[in-house]
Amino acid sequence: MQRKVTKAVFPVAGLGTRFLPATKSVPKEIMTLVDRPLIQYAIDEARAAGIKEFIFVTSRGKSALEDYFDTSPELEASLRKKGKDELLEVLQQTNMESGAIAYIRQHRALGLGHAVWCARRLIADEPFAVILPDDVIAGEKSCLQQMVEAYEETGGCMVAAMEVPPAKASAYGILDIESEDGAKVKVKAMVEKPKAEDAPSNLAVIGRYILTPDVMENLNRMKTGAGGEIQLTDAIADEIEAGRGVYGYRFRGQRFDCGSKAGFLQATVAFGLARPDLREEFSEYLAEMAALKNAAQ
Ligand code: UTP
């Protein structure tokens, strides 16, 4: 029986340079997919997986993120007075229970591994999840929930894994596979951002993890890796070296890289088309655009 995963770390202290100038004043995680900020999708996924404590690793300029999870008494009173119950309910879903949410500062953007390490005292000796809100995953069952269920069988560390074409390997951590058992993959090594010809497989790590507290110990060494950053992948790979289990999990669902402009636009189209209140108007517009593009060619 594994210990239950009830804590999740959300590293949101990156500089978000790919979205400049917007991210000069708006945290990337507050950017909106249809009508909800990226961070709301991440929180909903975590809640569906049974997470009870939400730890945000933030940095300067991210106060909009903290405000987002506060109650807004004036707004709520105004909606109540006007009888706008549906909106009131939408708003109330964003409120977090007092004490369920914690904010830690990463004073310098030294890498994802370093950001996770900043949460070590709140994690203490428990297994924990890490969710990167840039990766938005659409699917029937929340990706993290699928992983928690698989982790109950495997224990150890688990990373969400997705097939990518060789040309894209250099943008990801890539798994070297020892054996496979359905959606679960036993990992024998992990390589951060390899060249296409050096990639040991086509299975890439994306932004969902279940980690043991040993990973925090590994991060204590502050080893710098690819790009001169303290990489989370390296600290997980150290677990393999230590003879402890590391697994990849081929999740069911569609992942959008909302940390990139093209990925964000694709997610906007997909989520827009999935919304009953927008589908008809939006798909008509997209069809018109496609027809215009074809006519121009
Ligand atoms: P990215 O690699 O996407 O970096 O980080 P970034 O700074 O957010 O964005 P770009 O590349 O400059 O556009 C992946 C995740 O790791 C977090 C980010 O907030 C994001 O959720 N991160 C990264 C930190 O919290 N701290 C860091 O030092 C680096």
Side-chain angles (χ1 to χ4, degrees):
M1 218 8 214
Q2 312 302 336
R3 208 163 156 187
K4 257 190 160 351
V5 183
T6 59
K7 295 179 177 176
V9 178
F10 299 80
V12 291
L15 300 175
T17 52
R18 282 172 288 171
F19 279 98
L20 281 170
T23 42
K24 193 176 158 206
S25 67
V26 181
K28 181 166 65 172
E29 302 72 24
I30 288 291
M31 293 196 327
T32 312
L33 210 47
V34 187
D35 52 10
R36 302 155 76 209
L38 291 184
I39 195 68
Q40 185 69 49
Y41 292 89
I43 291 286
D44 290 349
E45 184 179 331
R47 277 184 173 144
I51 297 298
K52 305 278 184 257
E53 288 182 54
F54 304 81
I55 302 163
F56 290 84
V57 182
T58 70
S59 58
R60 270 182 301 281
K62 301 271 179 170
S63 50
L65 201 68
E66 300 187 17
D67 292 344
Y68 177 76
F69 291 113
D70 264 343
T71 49
S72 36
E74 267 178 53
L75 194 53
E76 285 182 23
S78 157
L79 293 175
R80 202 168 291 116
K81 208 164 135 197
K82 291 181 184 149
K84 297 194 169 171
D85 295 342
E86 259 177 52
L87 279 181
L88 196 59
E89 202 182 310
V90 166
L91 199 61
Q92 282 167 348
Q93 284 165 13
T94 68
N95 297 343
M96 300 289 277
E97 193 196 330
S98 293
I101 192 160
Y103 301 96
I104 299 268
R105 284 271 180 157
Q106 184 190 26
H107 294 104
R108 284 168 59 205
L110 296 177
L112 175 59
H114 181 263
V116 169
W117 176 81
C118 290
R120 66 200 177 281
R121 293 203 176 88
L122 291 177
I123 294 299
D125 63 349
E126 287 184 44
F128 61 102
V130 175
I131 295 189
L132 306 190
D134 310 17
D135 277 336
V136 177
I137 303 171
E140 263 178 44
K141 190 184 258 188
S142 118
C143 175
L144 189 64
Q145 192 180 350
Q146 296 173 41
M147 289 173 69
V148 165
E149 286 168 10
Y151 162 83
E152 277 162 13
E153 290 169 30
T154 61
C157 288
M158 183 171 279
V159 299
M162 180 184 94
E163 286 178 14
V164 295
K168 296 257 169 90
S170 63
Y172 296 91
I174 302 289
L175 302 182
D176 194 353
I177 300 167
E178 183 177 310
S179 60
E180 302 201 34
D181 168 19
K184 298 187 286 283
V185 173
K186 181 107 198 279
V187 178
K188 66 174 176 205
M190 293 167 82
V191 192
E192 187 63 35
K193 301 188 170 59
K195 290 193 201 120
E197 58 273 26
D198 299 332
S201 77
N202 64 351
L203 266 193
V205 178
I206 61 121
R208 301 289 183 275
Y209 310 78
I210 296 175
L211 302 176
T212 60
D214 294 321
V215 173
M216 289 294 192
E217 296 282 326
N218 302 342
L219 286 167
N220 274 335
R221 294 201 279 275
M222 295 287 144
K223 200 166 70 184
T224 47
E229 295 195 341
I230 297 168
Q231 297 285 358
L232 185 59
T233 312
D234 292 341
I236 301 171
D238 287 348
E239 284 299 280
I240 307 174
E241 295 279 298
R244 292 185 283 260
V246 173
Y247 302 86
Y249 184 79
R250 295 174 190 263
F251 60 95
R252 296 177 303 283
Q254 192 179 4
R255 173 258 189 180
F256 297 93
D257 175 11
C258 290
S260 78
K261 288 185 261 254
F264 202 103
L265 290 171
Q266 287 159 15
T268 301
V269 172
F271 280 80
L273 289 175
R275 281 276 293 259
D277 54 333
L278 297 170
R279 188 180 296 143
E280 202 179 317
E281 189 182 344
F282 193 38
S283 58
E284 270 173 27
Y285 173 73
L286 291 177
E288 266 172 44
M289 291 290 284
L292 277 177
K293 188 170 170 262
N294 286 339
Q297 273 169 359

